[in-house]
């Protein structure tokens, strides 16, 4: 059985404005325009075991009354990741069971790193621009690992 794939509707301008404010205040970070442009098309994507964070957490309630996350919000996810001190050097945009797609604040590079060790994986796994990282992310979602 194939993994479920979800693409959320585009982020609304007021959601992006709230995201900009939250990122600046809570993460001390200005999101790259490439990431914001992607959210303008899809406010969260979950495909091929990889989830692109949304502008804010999106949940649904199951028939049993349990809250389930459809998409993690980027600010909330990064606040959780930063509970582990080495992760304070990064801003994470997406995750899978194995890797994190992030901006390394120390090097200035956009990277794909192991979610436990923060070591670079894949080739290439370090990019000068967010656009290149997101291109690789979308290729991974489409299962195109070249």
């Amino acid at each position: 059985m194939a993994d479920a794939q979800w693409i959320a509707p585009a982020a609304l301008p007021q959601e992006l404005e709230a995201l900009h404010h939250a990122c600046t205040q809570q993460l001390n970070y200005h999101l790259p325009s490439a990431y914001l442009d992607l959210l303008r098309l899809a406010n969260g994507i979950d495909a091929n075991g990889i989830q692109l964070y949304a502008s804010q957490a999106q949940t649904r309630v199951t028939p049993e009354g349990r809250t389930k996350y459809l998409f993690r919000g980027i600010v909330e996810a990064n606040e959780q990741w930063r509970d582990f001190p080495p992760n304070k050097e990064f801003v994470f945009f997406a995750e899978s069971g194995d890797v994190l797609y992030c901006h390394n604040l120390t090097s200035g590079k956009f990277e794909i790193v192991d979610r436990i060790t923060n070591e670079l994986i894949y080739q290439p796994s370090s990019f000068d621009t967010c656009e290149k990282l997101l291109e690789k992310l979308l290729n991974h979602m489409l299962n195109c690992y070249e």
Side-chain angles (χ1 to χ4, degrees):
M1 178 179 214
D3 290 337
Q5 297 190 22
W6 301 92
I7 300 175
L12 300 172
Q14 59 267 31
E15 291 173 317
L16 294 176
E17 186 176 320
L19 173 60
H20 172 74
H21 180 73
C23 251
T24 302
Q25 296 299 311
Q26 294 168 249
L27 302 178
N28 194 28
Y29 184 73
H30 294 280
L31 290 168
S33 59
Y35 176 75
L36 294 170
D37 289 344
L38 186 52
L39 293 182
R40 284 182 183 94
L41 299 172
N43 193 8
I45 303 171
D46 192 340
N48 200 21
I50 303 167
Q51 186 173 111
L52 174 76
Y53 299 142
S55 64
Q56 60 196 17
Q58 298 178 30
T59 61
R60 72 174 179 88
V61 177
T62 66
E64 300 81 32
R66 292 183 31 219
T67 300
K68 293 191 78 163
Y69 284 95
L70 296 177
F71 297 103
R72 293 180 75 188
I74 187 169
V75 173
E76 298 85 358
N78 275 277
E79 286 179 331
Q80 289 173 348
W81 284 116
R82 288 181 174 188
D83 283 343
F84 182 58
N87 288 339
K88 292 181 182 195
E89 301 175 15
F90 300 91
V91 172
F92 302 101
F93 301 104
E95 67 178 272
S96 75
D98 300 328
V99 302
L100 298 164
Y101 298 80
C102 62
H103 187 189
N104 182 326
L105 301 174
T106 302
S107 71
K109 298 284 188 176
F110 293 87
E111 301 174 339
I112 304 168
V113 298
D114 180 271
R115 75 183 283 137
I116 295 173
T117 66
N118 286 344
E119 292 177 4
L120 295 173
I121 58 174
Y122 295 123
Q123 292 301 323
S125 59
S126 181
F127 310 94
D128 291 329
T129 66
C130 186
E131 289 89 345
K132 289 291 185 188
L133 174 70
L134 294 175
E135 178 183 339
K136 185 63 83 170
L137 165 72
L138 293 171
N139 280 327
H140 288 174
M141 287 179 161
L142 294 170
N143 209 18
C144 301
Y145 287 89
E146 288 118 39

